[in-house]
Amino acid sequence: MPVIRDEETAKVLQSCKGKDFVQLRDEAIIRLYYNTGARLSEVGNLHLEDVDLDTDSVRYRGKGNKDRRVRFGPKTARAISQYLRARAKRKGAALPDLWLAERGGRRLAPNGIKIMIKRRGLAVGLSGVHAHRWRHNFAHEWKRRGGDTGDLMLLLGWTSDDMPRHYGASAAAERAQETQLRMGIGEHV
């Protein structure tokens, strides 16, 4: 599966610029996927209590109901904070679910998030934009920057050693070529 590049993500995030509820919500969702490598269901099923803005972290419930805590960066923290302020003024603010639908005071389910992400991608001329591509990108960038495979497994909730190879395979050749250029073998003769 091809990864989604920074410039593609920037285009999708640009479609969220603004201060209305939906724009703030969508930016927070997309930044959370991109910044943490989470599964669609993990972000889609978050509750308010799962987000900790004091530690800039989120508690995901992964496969097999296994919990893990993952940190996120300042841009994601700011996006979530802005969304939470807007959320507090909405019908449905008393719901435990983190993500609210645009109308009706209901939760925004994972399938609704899936549709939103696809729609945002298409709006900026990108097809095939979905949450799982950001998960692949997270794994690719982690390995590209020299991150430890065991730490990656913990962050993404993997228990099988096959998963890092599976997720990294799509970008392994690119990483190998970058390493080859950096090493400069044969260039110092």
Side-chain angles (χ1 to χ4, degrees):
M1 173 178 296
V3 297
I4 186 163
R5 303 286 176 199
D6 286 348
E7 56 273 6
E8 293 171 316
T9 300
K11 285 182 182 180
V12 176
L13 284 169
Q14 189 62 37
S15 78
C16 301
K17 287 300 171 210
K19 296 297 178 191
D20 77 15
F21 175 76
V22 171
Q23 291 167 318
L24 295 171
R25 180 200 65 199
D26 293 358
E27 180 179 357
I29 290 171
I30 291 166
R31 285 194 179 281
L32 199 55
Y33 279 118
Y34 195 53
N35 200 208
T36 66
R39 296 175 180 97
L40 174 66
S41 62
E42 291 171 339
V43 171
N45 290 317
L46 284 173
H47 290 127
L48 285 168
E49 67 183 15
D50 296 325
V51 176
D52 184 343
L53 290 174
D54 291 330
T55 61
D56 290 345
S57 67
V58 63
R59 181 183 64 214
Y60 289 130
R61 275 174 216 84
K63 291 183 178 179
N65 260 350
K66 293 179 187 166
D67 285 358
R68 70 185 188 285
R69 187 150 291 278
V70 179
R71 303 281 307 264
F72 48 79
K75 287 183 180 180
T76 301
R78 186 171 40 257
I80 292 172
S81 180
Q82 289 173 339
Y83 164 70
L84 289 174
R85 285 194 298 277
R87 182 193 183 285
K89 301 171 189 169
R90 301 290 292 192
K91 183 177 179 182
L95 291 174
D97 306 284
L98 179 60
W99 310 115
L100 297 181
E102 184 176 4
R103 292 185 291 273
R106 296 172 294 133
R107 78 183 278 257
L108 178 66
N111 193 55
I113 292 174
K114 181 179 177 180
I115 292 166
M116 174 276 289
I117 290 171
K118 182 177 182 177
R119 183 176 39 83
R120 291 269 181 201
L122 291 172
V124 296
L126 298 171
S127 62
V129 175
H130 50 84
H132 209 69
R133 284 185 65 196
W134 281 306
R135 188 165 171 83
H136 275 265
N137 185 75
F138 187 92
H140 167 63
E141 287 298 325
W142 184 273
K143 295 298 292 177
R144 189 170 173 233
R145 296 176 191 199
D148 180 75
T149 300
D151 292 341
L152 177 64
M153 289 178 67
L154 288 170
L155 288 174
L156 296 186
W158 293 333
T159 56
S160 167
D161 291 336
D162 293 334
M163 294 311 290
R165 281 188 295 281
H166 170 73
Y167 273 72
S170 63
E174 180 182 330
R175 288 193 306 273
Q177 291 170 356
E178 289 172 357
T179 301
Q180 177 192 12
L181 284 174
R182 188 178 69 248
M183 294 173 98
I185 297 171
E187 291 296 314
H188 305 290
V189 179

